Amino acid sequence: ELFIRFFSIKYFIEKYDGNLKNSFDNTVRELNNNWFNLEDKIKEDSNNLNLAIKTTIDIFGSKESFSKYTNEGYQRNFNRAIFDIMCYYFSDNNIRTQALIKKTEIKSKFEELCLNNPDFLSSFEHTTKSIFNVSTRLSIWGNSIKEIIEIDFKIPTLTGNRIKLK
């Protein structure tokens, strides 16, 4: 499921309509139907997914990665929505490289957002599959990373009732 989640967001975020099951089904169908054209890209992005996971662990630690931060510290529960935002951005080599250089700032910003940004926190606590919450967490986290690492990249943003890369 995590592998499909990653490719669904990475390749088809602008087609996401809030139905997670349909999104997963469409992702698998598209990738299977276009395997011969996309094989090298899928393999490269599979490797980038592994690097994104390693980067997240390097920044947050093995026990804290992909978990929500609270006043009591990191919860030990794996959170798929947090996995989504970390892997979406850290699968990009330029973002990953700069994030590792500024990993203290990245980790601190995530903790700050969890404690002080109710929209960010709500986006991975309640109705995580809604278009609003998917775009909220990707947009807030993407803008935060962009501010820290000071490089330009596209961020999924809610426009009307659809997610667009801007």
Side-chain angles (χ1 to χ4, degrees):
E1 175 193 344
L2 294 175
F3 188 78
I4 295 168
R5 286 179 80 92
F6 171 74
F7 279 97
S8 180
I9 292 171
K10 189 79 172 173
Y11 288 15
F12 307 110
I13 190 66
E14 292 185 304
K15 293 181 180 180
Y16 186 66
D17 66 359
N19 187 319
L20 201 58
K21 182 188 179 320
N22 284 348
S23 179
F24 289 176
D25 290 346
N26 291 335
T27 296
V28 171
R29 185 174 26 263
E30 287 289 325
L31 296 182
N32 282 336
N33 289 342
N34 295 296
W35 175 254
F36 293 108
N37 296 326
L38 296 175
E39 179 180 3
D40 291 339
K41 183 171 174 37
I42 292 168
K43 287 179 179 179
E44 178 182 345
D45 281 329
S46 295
N47 185 55
N48 287 329
L49 172 59
N50 284 329
L51 292 171
I53 292 167
K54 289 177 183 177
T55 298
T56 305
I57 292 169
D58 190 25
I59 292 171
F60 292 91
S62 61
K63 294 180 181 174
E64 293 84 12
S65 296
F66 312 112
S67 298
K68 180 175 74 168
Y69 185 77
T70 68
N71 287 323
E72 289 82 38
Y74 283 90
Q75 293 185 340
R76 302 296 171 144
N77 301 9
F78 179 87
N79 185 300
R80 287 174 178 85
I82 294 173
F83 173 88
D84 293 343
I85 62 171
M86 297 300 173
C87 291
Y88 180 80
Y89 289 108
F90 296 153
S91 66
D92 179 282
N93 185 54
N94 293 328
I95 296 171
R96 180 174 57 246
T97 301
Q98 293 303 308
L100 285 168
I101 291 169
K102 297 190 174 187
K103 65 183 180 179
T104 302
E105 294 95 325
I106 295 285
K107 183 176 182 180
S108 293
K109 186 61 174 184
F110 179 78
E111 292 170 356
E112 176 192 322
L113 289 171
C114 286
L115 293 176
N116 301 318
N117 189 317
D119 292 334
F120 183 70
L121 187 61
S122 179
S123 77
F124 53 82
E125 285 186 331
H126 308 289
T127 319
T128 60
K129 66 181 183 175
S130 75
I131 291 174
F132 178 78
N133 282 336
V134 169
S135 65
T136 295
R137 66 178 164 264
L138 284 167
S139 179
I140 291 172
W141 185 233
N143 282 307
S144 296
I145 292 171
K146 185 184 270 193
E147 182 179 301
I148 293 167
I149 66 174
E150 299 176 334
I151 62 172
D152 193 36
F153 53 88
K154 291 186 178 185
I155 296 174
T157 306
L158 190 63
T159 304
N161 63 349
R162 301 303 288 187
I163 299 172
K164 301 289 181 190
L165 291 173
K166 294 186 175 188

mmCIF file of all heavy atoms in Angstrom, residues 71-117:
data_model
loop_
_atom_site.group_PDB
_atom_site.id
_atom_site.type_symbol
_atom_site.label_atom_id
_atom_site.label_comp_id
_atom_site.label_asym_id
_atom_site.label_seq_id
_atom_site.Cartn_x
_atom_site.Cartn_y
_atom_site.Cartn_z
ATOM 1 N N ASN A 71 3.422 17.647 22.546
ATOM 2 C CA ASN A 71 4.139 18.207 23.696
ATOM 3 C C ASN A 71 4.904 17.141 24.475
ATOM 4 O O ASN A 71 5.875 17.451 25.160
ATOM 5 C CB ASN A 71 3.175 18.935 24.637
ATOM 6 C CG ASN A 71 2.702 20.243 24.054
ATOM 7 O OD1 ASN A 71 3.462 20.939 23.396
ATOM 8 N ND2 ASN A 71 1.444 20.573 24.284
ATOM 9 N N GLU A 72 4.484 15.906 24.359
ATOM 10 C CA GLU A 72 5.156 14.797 25.050
ATOM 11 C C GLU A 72 6.255 14.168 24.196
ATOM 12 O O GLU A 72 6.884 13.197 24.599
ATOM 13 C CB GLU A 72 4.141 13.709 25.444
ATOM 14 C CG GLU A 72 3.200 14.120 26.564
ATOM 15 C CD GLU A 72 2.021 14.957 26.064
ATOM 16 O OE1 GLU A 72 1.502 14.673 24.960
ATOM 17 O OE2 GLU A 72 1.645 15.910 26.769
ATOM 18 N N GLY A 73 6.468 14.685 23.003
ATOM 19 C CA GLY A 73 7.478 14.128 22.093
ATOM 20 C C GLY A 73 6.819 13.411 20.927
ATOM 21 O O GLY A 73 5.625 13.575 20.666
ATOM 22 N N TYR A 74 7.596 12.616 20.237
ATOM 23 C CA TYR A 74 7.078 11.886 19.079
ATOM 24 C C TYR A 74 6.254 10.700 19.526
ATOM 25 O O TYR A 74 6.655 9.947 20.412
ATOM 26 C CB TYR A 74 8.218 11.405 18.178
ATOM 27 C CG TYR A 74 8.787 12.500 17.323
ATOM 28 C CD1 TYR A 74 9.835 13.280 17.765
ATOM 29 C CD2 TYR A 74 8.248 12.771 16.071
ATOM 30 C CE1 TYR A 74 10.341 14.304 16.989
ATOM 31 C CE2 TYR A 74 8.738 13.798 15.287
ATOM 32 C CZ TYR A 74 9.787 14.560 15.753
ATOM 33 O OH TYR A 74 10.281 15.580 14.988
ATOM 34 N N GLN A 75 5.087 10.547 18.886
ATOM 35 C CA GLN A 75 4.300 9.344 19.114
ATOM 36 C C GLN A 75 4.983 8.205 18.362
ATOM 37 O O GLN A 75 5.650 8.425 17.361
ATOM 38 C CB GLN A 75 2.876 9.524 18.611
ATOM 39 C CG GLN A 75 2.107 10.544 19.395
ATOM 40 C CD GLN A 75 0.655 10.624 18.954
ATOM 41 O OE1 GLN A 75 0.295 10.215 17.859
ATOM 42 N NE2 GLN A 75 -0.174 11.167 19.826
ATOM 43 N N ARG A 76 4.801 7.031 18.815
ATOM 44 C CA ARG A 76 5.481 5.883 18.185
ATOM 45 C C ARG A 76 4.649 5.249 17.071
ATOM 46 O O ARG A 76 5.066 4.286 16.458
ATOM 47 C CB ARG A 76 5.831 4.823 19.238
ATOM 48 C CG ARG A 76 6.711 5.338 20.348
ATOM 49 C CD ARG A 76 8.058 5.771 19.823
ATOM 50 N NE ARG A 76 8.801 6.457 20.876
ATOM 51 C CZ ARG A 76 10.085 6.362 21.039
ATOM 52 N NH1 ARG A 76 10.802 5.646 20.240
ATOM 53 N NH2 ARG A 76 10.666 7.020 22.010
ATOM 54 N N ASN A 77 3.485 5.820 16.785
ATOM 55 C CA ASN A 77 2.609 5.257 15.759
ATOM 56 C C ASN A 77 3.045 5.728 14.376
ATOM 57 O O ASN A 77 3.255 6.913 14.167
ATOM 58 C CB ASN A 77 1.166 5.696 15.986
ATOM 59 C CG ASN A 77 0.638 5.263 17.329
ATOM 60 O OD1 ASN A 77 1.371 4.778 18.178
ATOM 61 N ND2 ASN A 77 -0.635 5.451 17.539
ATOM 62 N N PHE A 78 3.133 4.806 13.446
ATOM 63 C CA PHE A 78 3.424 5.134 12.047
ATOM 64 C C PHE A 78 2.194 5.826 11.459
ATOM 65 O O PHE A 78 1.075 5.336 11.596
ATOM 66 C CB PHE A 78 3.731 3.852 11.267
ATOM 67 C CG PHE A 78 4.021 4.093 9.822
ATOM 68 C CD1 PHE A 78 5.305 4.399 9.408
ATOM 69 C CD2 PHE A 78 3.012 4.017 8.872
ATOM 70 C CE1 PHE A 78 5.587 4.622 8.060
ATOM 71 C CE2 PHE A 78 3.279 4.240 7.528
ATOM 72 C CZ PHE A 78 4.571 4.543 7.128
ATOM 73 N N ASN A 79 2.405 6.961 10.820
ATOM 74 C CA ASN A 79 1.311 7.728 10.244
ATOM 75 C C ASN A 79 1.503 7.788 8.727
ATOM 76 O O ASN A 79 2.479 8.363 8.244
ATOM 77 C CB ASN A 79 1.299 9.136 10.853
ATOM 78 C CG ASN A 79 0.133 9.958 10.404
ATOM 79 O OD1 ASN A 79 -0.039 10.208 9.222
ATOM 80 N ND2 ASN A 79 -0.674 10.418 11.358
ATOM 81 N N ARG A 80 0.580 7.191 7.976
ATOM 82 C CA ARG A 80 0.695 7.135 6.513
ATOM 83 C C ARG A 80 0.701 8.525 5.872
ATOM 84 O O ARG A 80 1.388 8.758 4.886
ATOM 85 C CB ARG A 80 -0.439 6.302 5.929
ATOM 86 C CG ARG A 80 -0.284 4.825 6.168
ATOM 87 C CD ARG A 80 -1.537 4.067 5.676
ATOM 88 N NE ARG A 80 -1.406 2.657 5.836
ATOM 89 C CZ ARG A 80 -1.676 2.000 6.954
ATOM 90 N NH1 ARG A 80 -2.083 2.657 8.025
ATOM 91 N NH2 ARG A 80 -1.532 0.693 7.009
ATOM 92 N N ALA A 81 -0.073 9.434 6.412
ATOM 93 C CA ALA A 81 -0.135 10.787 5.841
ATOM 94 C C ALA A 81 1.200 11.511 6.013
ATOM 95 O O ALA A 81 1.618 12.272 5.135
ATOM 96 C CB ALA A 81 -1.271 11.575 6.473
ATOM 97 N N ILE A 82 1.875 11.280 7.123
ATOM 98 C CA ILE A 82 3.206 11.859 7.319
ATOM 99 C C ILE A 82 4.199 11.174 6.383
ATOM 100 O O ILE A 82 5.065 11.835 5.803
ATOM 101 C CB ILE A 82 3.628 11.782 8.801
ATOM 102 C CG1 ILE A 82 2.704 12.670 9.635
ATOM 103 C CG2 ILE A 82 5.093 12.204 8.967
ATOM 104 C CD1 ILE A 82 2.898 12.559 11.138
ATOM 105 N N PHE A 83 4.072 9.867 6.218
ATOM 106 C CA PHE A 83 4.894 9.146 5.237
ATOM 107 C C PHE A 83 4.750 9.799 3.863
ATOM 108 O O PHE A 83 5.740 10.035 3.171
ATOM 109 C CB PHE A 83 4.466 7.673 5.183
ATOM 110 C CG PHE A 83 5.128 6.871 4.103
ATOM 111 C CD1 PHE A 83 6.344 6.247 4.332
ATOM 112 C CD2 PHE A 83 4.527 6.727 2.856
ATOM 113 C CE1 PHE A 83 6.958 5.498 3.331
ATOM 114 C CE2 PHE A 83 5.134 5.992 1.852
ATOM 115 C CZ PHE A 83 6.348 5.375 2.091
ATOM 116 N N ASP A 84 3.519 10.115 3.491
ATOM 117 C CA ASP A 84 3.257 10.724 2.181
ATOM 118 C C ASP A 84 4.040 12.014 1.984
ATOM 119 O O ASP A 84 4.695 12.200 0.962
ATOM 120 C CB ASP A 84 1.765 11.030 2.002
ATOM 121 C CG ASP A 84 0.889 9.801 1.914
ATOM 122 O OD1 ASP A 84 1.413 8.696 1.677
ATOM 123 O OD2 ASP A 84 -0.340 9.960 2.086
ATOM 124 N N ILE A 85 3.972 12.924 2.950
ATOM 125 C CA ILE A 85 4.617 14.229 2.755
ATOM 126 C C ILE A 85 6.133 14.114 2.791
ATOM 127 O O ILE A 85 6.822 14.812 2.039
ATOM 128 C CB ILE A 85 4.116 15.300 3.746
ATOM 129 C CG1 ILE A 85 4.421 14.951 5.189
ATOM 130 C CG2 ILE A 85 2.633 15.576 3.524
ATOM 131 C CD1 ILE A 85 4.141 16.056 6.202
ATOM 132 N N MET A 86 6.651 13.258 3.647
ATOM 133 C CA MET A 86 8.108 13.112 3.722
ATOM 134 C C MET A 86 8.648 12.500 2.428
ATOM 135 O O MET A 86 9.604 13.010 1.840
ATOM 136 C CB MET A 86 8.508 12.250 4.924
ATOM 137 C CG MET A 86 8.146 12.833 6.259
ATOM 138 S SD MET A 86 8.939 14.429 6.547
ATOM 139 C CE MET A 86 8.141 14.910 8.068
ATOM 140 N N CYS A 87 8.016 11.430 1.976
ATOM 141 C CA CYS A 87 8.518 10.741 0.780
ATOM 142 C C CYS A 87 8.259 11.538 -0.489
ATOM 143 O O CYS A 87 9.073 11.499 -1.416
ATOM 144 C CB CYS A 87 7.924 9.345 0.696
ATOM 145 S SG CYS A 87 8.580 8.268 1.998
ATOM 146 N N TYR A 88 7.168 12.270 -0.540
ATOM 147 C CA TYR A 88 6.893 13.084 -1.715
ATOM 148 C C TYR A 88 8.034 14.070 -1.952
ATOM 149 O O TYR A 88 8.562 14.178 -3.055
ATOM 150 C CB TYR A 88 5.568 13.829 -1.561
ATOM 151 C CG TYR A 88 5.244 14.697 -2.753
ATOM 152 C CD1 TYR A 88 4.694 14.133 -3.899
ATOM 153 C CD2 TYR A 88 5.521 16.058 -2.753
ATOM 154 C CE1 TYR A 88 4.409 14.924 -5.017
ATOM 155 C CE2 TYR A 88 5.234 16.852 -3.858
ATOM 156 C CZ TYR A 88 4.686 16.268 -4.983
ATOM 157 O OH TYR A 88 4.417 17.048 -6.096
ATOM 158 N N TYR A 89 8.423 14.783 -0.927
ATOM 159 C CA TYR A 89 9.465 15.799 -1.097
ATOM 160 C C TYR A 89 10.874 15.212 -1.078
ATOM 161 O O TYR A 89 11.716 15.588 -1.903
ATOM 162 C CB TYR A 89 9.312 16.907 -0.051
ATOM 163 C CG TYR A 89 8.094 17.752 -0.330
ATOM 164 C CD1 TYR A 89 6.963 17.676 0.454
ATOM 165 C CD2 TYR A 89 8.073 18.601 -1.432
ATOM 166 C CE1 TYR A 89 5.843 18.441 0.168
ATOM 167 C CE2 TYR A 89 6.954 19.365 -1.738
ATOM 168 C CZ TYR A 89 5.845 19.276 -0.929
ATOM 169 O OH TYR A 89 4.736 20.019 -1.228
ATOM 170 N N PHE A 90 11.156 14.317 -0.163
ATOM 171 C CA PHE A 90 12.516 13.800 -0.049
ATOM 172 C C PHE A 90 12.874 12.800 -1.155
ATOM 173 O O PHE A 90 14.024 12.379 -1.258
ATOM 174 C CB PHE A 90 12.751 13.181 1.328
ATOM 175 C CG PHE A 90 12.649 14.168 2.466
ATOM 176 C CD1 PHE A 90 12.276 13.754 3.727
ATOM 177 C CD2 PHE A 90 12.921 15.515 2.278
ATOM 178 C CE1 PHE A 90 12.183 14.651 4.783
ATOM 179 C CE2 PHE A 90 12.832 16.427 3.319
ATOM 180 C CZ PHE A 90 12.465 15.991 4.576
ATOM 181 N N SER A 91 11.924 12.448 -2.003
ATOM 182 C CA SER A 91 12.249 11.604 -3.163
ATOM 183 C C SER A 91 12.904 12.423 -4.276
ATOM 184 O O SER A 91 13.466 11.861 -5.203
ATOM 185 C CB SER A 91 10.997 10.893 -3.690
ATOM 186 O OG SER A 91 10.085 11.835 -4.222
ATOM 187 N N ASP A 92 12.856 13.740 -4.158
ATOM 188 C CA ASP A 92 13.517 14.624 -5.115
ATOM 189 C C ASP A 92 14.967 14.825 -4.663
ATOM 190 O O ASP A 92 15.218 15.255 -3.539
ATOM 191 C CB ASP A 92 12.785 15.964 -5.159
ATOM 192 C CG ASP A 92 13.427 16.946 -6.109
ATOM 193 O OD1 ASP A 92 14.464 17.543 -5.734
ATOM 194 O OD2 ASP A 92 12.896 17.125 -7.218
ATOM 195 N N ASN A 93 15.910 14.526 -5.550
ATOM 196 C CA ASN A 93 17.326 14.564 -5.184
ATOM 197 C C ASN A 93 17.769 15.936 -4.682
ATOM 198 O O ASN A 93 18.502 16.035 -3.693
ATOM 199 C CB ASN A 93 18.192 14.127 -6.363
ATOM 200 C CG ASN A 93 19.659 14.031 -5.985
ATOM 201 O OD1 ASN A 93 20.009 13.348 -5.022
ATOM 202 N ND2 ASN A 93 20.504 14.737 -6.706
ATOM 203 N N ASN A 94 17.357 17.011 -5.344
ATOM 204 C CA ASN A 94 17.765 18.360 -4.920
ATOM 205 C C ASN A 94 17.221 18.702 -3.541
ATOM 206 O O ASN A 94 17.938 19.251 -2.700
ATOM 207 C CB ASN A 94 17.310 19.410 -5.941
ATOM 208 C CG ASN A 94 18.023 19.265 -7.257
ATOM 209 O OD1 ASN A 94 19.183 18.861 -7.320
ATOM 210 N ND2 ASN A 94 17.332 19.587 -8.333
ATOM 211 N N ILE A 95 15.962 18.384 -3.316
ATOM 212 C CA ILE A 95 15.350 18.651 -2.011
ATOM 213 C C ILE A 95 16.017 17.792 -0.944
ATOM 214 O O ILE A 95 16.380 18.280 0.134
ATOM 215 C CB ILE A 95 13.826 18.395 -2.057
ATOM 216 C CG1 ILE A 95 13.156 19.378 -3.020
ATOM 217 C CG2 ILE A 95 13.219 18.481 -0.651
ATOM 218 C CD1 ILE A 95 11.696 19.069 -3.313
ATOM 219 N N ARG A 96 16.187 16.526 -1.252
ATOM 220 C CA ARG A 96 16.795 15.577 -0.308
ATOM 221 C C ARG A 96 18.194 16.036 0.115
ATOM 222 O O ARG A 96 18.524 16.074 1.300
ATOM 223 C CB ARG A 96 16.837 14.186 -0.945
ATOM 224 C CG ARG A 96 17.441 13.116 -0.098
ATOM 225 C CD ARG A 96 17.317 11.738 -0.728
ATOM 226 N NE ARG A 96 17.893 11.635 -2.046
ATOM 227 C CZ ARG A 96 17.193 11.411 -3.168
ATOM 228 N NH1 ARG A 96 15.880 11.285 -3.119
ATOM 229 N NH2 ARG A 96 17.802 11.316 -4.327
ATOM 230 N N THR A 97 19.007 16.414 -0.861
ATOM 231 C CA THR A 97 20.384 16.826 -0.578
ATOM 232 C C THR A 97 20.418 18.040 0.341
ATOM 233 O O THR A 97 21.150 18.068 1.334
ATOM 234 C CB THR A 97 21.120 17.135 -1.901
ATOM 235 O OG1 THR A 97 21.105 15.959 -2.713
ATOM 236 C CG2 THR A 97 22.543 17.573 -1.649
ATOM 237 N N GLN A 98 19.605 19.044 0.036
ATOM 238 C CA GLN A 98 19.580 20.258 0.848
ATOM 239 C C GLN A 98 18.947 20.011 2.221
ATOM 240 O O GLN A 98 19.367 20.606 3.216
ATOM 241 C CB GLN A 98 18.847 21.374 0.106
ATOM 242 C CG GLN A 98 19.567 21.866 -1.132
ATOM 243 C CD GLN A 98 20.973 22.341 -0.811
ATOM 244 O OE1 GLN A 98 21.182 23.151 0.079
ATOM 245 N NE2 GLN A 98 21.945 21.821 -1.538
ATOM 246 N N ALA A 99 17.947 19.149 2.266
ATOM 247 C CA ALA A 99 17.297 18.836 3.543
ATOM 248 C C ALA A 99 18.274 18.153 4.499
ATOM 249 O O ALA A 99 18.271 18.427 5.709
ATOM 250 C CB ALA A 99 16.063 17.964 3.323
ATOM 251 N N LEU A 100 19.122 17.301 3.964
ATOM 252 C CA LEU A 100 20.113 16.635 4.817
ATOM 253 C C LEU A 100 21.135 17.632 5.356
ATOM 254 O O LEU A 100 21.609 17.494 6.484
ATOM 255 C CB LEU A 100 20.796 15.503 4.049
ATOM 256 C CG LEU A 100 19.944 14.258 3.871
ATOM 257 C CD1 LEU A 100 20.570 13.306 2.864
ATOM 258 C CD2 LEU A 100 19.710 13.562 5.211
ATOM 259 N N ILE A 101 21.461 18.637 4.558
ATOM 260 C CA ILE A 101 22.389 19.673 5.020
ATOM 261 C C ILE A 101 21.758 20.474 6.152
ATOM 262 O O ILE A 101 22.434 20.870 7.100
ATOM 263 C CB ILE A 101 22.796 20.596 3.838
ATOM 264 C CG1 ILE A 101 23.666 19.821 2.848
ATOM 265 C CG2 ILE A 101 23.506 21.852 4.336
ATOM 266 C CD1 ILE A 101 23.902 20.545 1.522
ATOM 267 N N LYS A 102 20.448 20.686 6.061
ATOM 268 C CA LYS A 102 19.737 21.499 7.062
ATOM 269 C C LYS A 102 18.769 20.659 7.882
ATOM 270 O O LYS A 102 17.677 21.099 8.226
ATOM 271 C CB LYS A 102 19.022 22.637 6.355
ATOM 272 C CG LYS A 102 19.990 23.587 5.662
ATOM 273 C CD LYS A 102 19.315 24.819 5.175
ATOM 274 C CE LYS A 102 20.376 25.771 4.626
ATOM 275 N NZ LYS A 102 19.810 27.064 4.272
ATOM 276 N N LYS A 103 19.192 19.446 8.226
ATOM 277 C CA LYS A 103 18.277 18.522 8.884
ATOM 278 C C LYS A 103 17.796 18.990 10.251
ATOM 279 O O LYS A 103 16.660 18.722 10.622
ATOM 280 C CB LYS A 103 18.858 17.106 8.943
ATOM 281 C CG LYS A 103 20.086 16.921 9.758
ATOM 282 C CD LYS A 103 20.534 15.474 9.614
ATOM 283 C CE LYS A 103 21.766 15.189 10.413
ATOM 284 N NZ LYS A 103 22.153 13.772 10.267
ATOM 285 N N THR A 104 18.607 19.719 10.982
ATOM 286 C CA THR A 104 18.166 20.227 12.283
ATOM 287 C C THR A 104 17.011 21.195 12.104
ATOM 288 O O THR A 104 16.004 21.131 12.839
ATOM 289 C CB THR A 104 19.338 20.918 13.018
ATOM 290 O OG1 THR A 104 20.398 19.961 13.174
ATOM 291 C CG2 THR A 104 18.912 21.438 14.378
ATOM 292 N N GLU A 105 17.131 22.087 11.118
ATOM 293 C CA GLU A 105 16.071 23.055 10.848
ATOM 294 C C GLU A 105 14.808 22.377 10.336
ATOM 295 O O GLU A 105 13.693 22.763 10.690
ATOM 296 C CB GLU A 105 16.532 24.107 9.832
ATOM 297 C CG GLU A 105 17.650 25.002 10.342
ATOM 298 C CD GLU A 105 19.045 24.522 9.930
ATOM 299 O OE1 GLU A 105 19.281 23.278 9.861
ATOM 300 O OE2 GLU A 105 19.899 25.367 9.691
ATOM 301 N N ILE A 106 14.981 21.349 9.505
ATOM 302 C CA ILE A 106 13.838 20.597 8.962
ATOM 303 C C ILE A 106 13.067 19.930 10.106
ATOM 304 O O ILE A 106 11.841 20.047 10.207
ATOM 305 C CB ILE A 106 14.293 19.547 7.921
ATOM 306 C CG1 ILE A 106 14.906 20.219 6.691
ATOM 307 C CG2 ILE A 106 13.167 18.591 7.562
ATOM 308 C CD1 ILE A 106 13.932 20.873 5.750
ATOM 309 N N LYS A 107 13.784 19.247 10.969
ATOM 310 C CA LYS A 107 13.132 18.553 12.088
ATOM 311 C C LYS A 107 12.441 19.556 13.012
ATOM 312 O O LYS A 107 11.292 19.342 13.419
ATOM 313 C CB LYS A 107 14.158 17.727 12.873
ATOM 314 C CG LYS A 107 13.538 16.922 13.996
ATOM 315 C CD LYS A 107 14.556 16.041 14.678
ATOM 316 C CE LYS A 107 13.901 15.208 15.769
ATOM 317 N NZ LYS A 107 14.862 14.341 16.450
ATOM 318 N N SER A 108 13.118 20.653 13.315
ATOM 319 C CA SER A 108 12.523 21.669 14.188
ATOM 320 C C SER A 108 11.259 22.265 13.585
ATOM 321 O O SER A 108 10.276 22.512 14.293
ATOM 322 C CB SER A 108 13.535 22.785 14.463
ATOM 323 O OG SER A 108 14.601 22.301 15.234
ATOM 324 N N LYS A 109 11.276 22.485 12.276
ATOM 325 C CA LYS A 109 10.103 23.062 11.609
ATOM 326 C C LYS A 109 8.918 22.103 11.671
ATOM 327 O O LYS A 109 7.780 22.523 11.910
ATOM 328 C CB LYS A 109 10.436 23.426 10.162
ATOM 329 C CG LYS A 109 9.317 24.161 9.457
ATOM 330 C CD LYS A 109 9.008 25.478 10.162
ATOM 331 C CE LYS A 109 8.004 26.304 9.397
ATOM 332 N NZ LYS A 109 7.781 27.609 10.014
ATOM 333 N N PHE A 110 9.169 20.812 11.453
ATOM 334 C CA PHE A 110 8.092 19.822 11.542
ATOM 335 C C PHE A 110 7.487 19.837 12.948
ATOM 336 O O PHE A 110 6.263 19.846 13.108
ATOM 337 C CB PHE A 110 8.603 18.424 11.184
ATOM 338 C CG PHE A 110 7.545 17.364 11.286
ATOM 339 C CD1 PHE A 110 6.590 17.218 10.292
ATOM 340 C CD2 PHE A 110 7.487 16.527 12.387
ATOM 341 C CE1 PHE A 110 5.588 16.259 10.390
ATOM 342 C CE2 PHE A 110 6.498 15.557 12.497
ATOM 343 C CZ PHE A 110 5.554 15.420 11.496
ATOM 344 N N GLU A 111 8.333 19.851 13.955
ATOM 345 C CA GLU A 111 7.856 19.870 15.337
ATOM 346 C C GLU A 111 7.044 21.136 15.614
ATOM 347 O O GLU A 111 5.976 21.071 16.230
ATOM 348 C CB GLU A 111 9.045 19.759 16.298
ATOM 349 C CG GLU A 111 9.713 18.402 16.224
ATOM 350 C CD GLU A 111 11.037 18.320 16.974
ATOM 351 O OE1 GLU A 111 11.505 19.354 17.522
ATOM 352 O OE2 GLU A 111 11.619 17.215 17.006
ATOM 353 N N GLU A 112 7.542 22.263 15.135
ATOM 354 C CA GLU A 112 6.824 23.530 15.307
ATOM 355 C C GLU A 112 5.452 23.485 14.642
ATOM 356 O O GLU A 112 4.448 23.923 15.220
ATOM 357 C CB GLU A 112 7.653 24.674 14.708
ATOM 358 C CG GLU A 112 6.965 26.019 14.738
ATOM 359 C CD GLU A 112 7.681 27.051 13.882
ATOM 360 O OE1 GLU A 112 8.919 27.055 13.847
ATOM 361 O OE2 GLU A 112 6.967 27.845 13.222
ATOM 362 N N LEU A 113 5.398 22.957 13.425
ATOM 363 C CA LEU A 113 4.114 22.865 12.719
ATOM 364 C C LEU A 113 3.136 21.963 13.466
ATOM 365 O O LEU A 113 1.946 22.284 13.571
ATOM 366 C CB LEU A 113 4.324 22.356 11.291
ATOM 367 C CG LEU A 113 4.998 23.310 10.322
ATOM 368 C CD1 LEU A 113 5.348 22.593 9.023
ATOM 369 C CD2 LEU A 113 4.119 24.523 10.042
ATOM 370 N N CYS A 114 3.623 20.845 13.980
ATOM 371 C CA CYS A 114 2.747 19.932 14.730
ATOM 372 C C CYS A 114 2.189 20.593 15.981
ATOM 373 O O CYS A 114 1.028 20.358 16.346
ATOM 374 C CB CYS A 114 3.509 18.667 15.108
ATOM 375 S SG CYS A 114 3.800 17.521 13.752
ATOM 376 N N LEU A 115 2.991 21.423 16.622
ATOM 377 C CA LEU A 115 2.557 22.063 17.871
ATOM 378 C C LEU A 115 1.738 23.326 17.647
ATOM 379 O O LEU A 115 0.845 23.625 18.442
ATOM 380 C CB LEU A 115 3.779 22.407 18.736
ATOM 381 C CG LEU A 115 4.560 21.231 19.298
ATOM 382 C CD1 LEU A 115 5.797 21.736 20.036
ATOM 383 C CD2 LEU A 115 3.698 20.361 20.206
ATOM 384 N N ASN A 116 2.027 24.063 16.573
ATOM 385 C CA ASN A 116 1.477 25.415 16.437
ATOM 386 C C ASN A 116 0.599 25.661 15.215
ATOM 387 O O ASN A 116 0.075 26.767 15.076
ATOM 388 C CB ASN A 116 2.617 26.438 16.431
ATOM 389 C CG ASN A 116 3.433 26.367 17.706
ATOM 390 O OD1 ASN A 116 2.891 26.247 18.790
ATOM 391 N ND2 ASN A 116 4.753 26.417 17.564
ATOM 392 N N ASN A 117 0.468 24.689 14.335
ATOM 393 C CA ASN A 117 -0.341 24.905 13.139
ATOM 394 C C ASN A 117 -1.497 23.898 13.133
ATOM 395 O O ASN A 117 -1.336 22.751 12.701
ATOM 396 C CB ASN A 117 0.518 24.765 11.877
ATOM 397 C CG ASN A 117 -0.221 25.188 10.627
ATOM 398 O OD1 ASN A 117 -1.385 24.854 10.453
ATOM 399 N ND2 ASN A 117 0.463 25.905 9.760
#
